[in-house]
Amino acid sequence: MAPLQQITFELRGEFITLDKLLKACSLADSGGRAKTMVAEGRVQVDGQDELRKTAKIRAGQVVSVQGARIKVVPEAPSESTDQANT
């Protein structure tokens, strides 16, 4: 059995829709395929089946699908912002 692929996704903004997240993480080769995966019940958010294709995924949530787990984290502050404050 293949090991579970662990993906960390840095979220820019308040949320990303579930179908766009699957595509952005290369777990679906198109938006249509991502929507099909969700509709077929193959995706879980925080351990619960998720059937809403455009569910809003926010930082702190975990999405699981066919051998992969995506941990959504807030975007790390850029170094240029840190330097501007010094």
Side-chain angles (χ1 to χ4, degrees):
M1 187 172 180
L4 188 66
Q5 181 182 3
Q6 300 285 343
I7 301 168
T8 300
F9 180 84
E10 283 193 17
L11 181 64
R12 293 182 209 110
E14 184 181 342
F15 67 88
I16 186 170
T17 59
L18 183 55
D19 58 331
K20 289 181 182 178
L21 177 65
L22 295 175
K23 189 173 179 217
C25 291
S26 299
L27 296 174
D29 53 6
S30 70
R33 181 67 189 130
K35 289 176 182 180
T36 300
M37 291 165 64
V38 176
E40 291 174 348
R42 297 170 50 193
V43 181
Q44 293 79 41
V45 176
D46 294 333
Q48 301 292 317
D49 290 342
E50 181 56 76
L51 298 174
R52 297 174 297 158
K53 301 168 192 83
T54 58
K56 295 177 180 177
I57 306 301
R58 293 179 163 81
Q61 292 189 288
V62 176
V63 175
S64 301
V65 60
Q66 59 187 17
R69 179 174 295 165
I70 308 163
K71 182 175 183 183
V72 181
V73 298
E75 183 178 29
S78 65
E79 290 184 30
S80 60
T81 303
D82 293 341
Q83 291 175 354
N85 294 330
T86 57

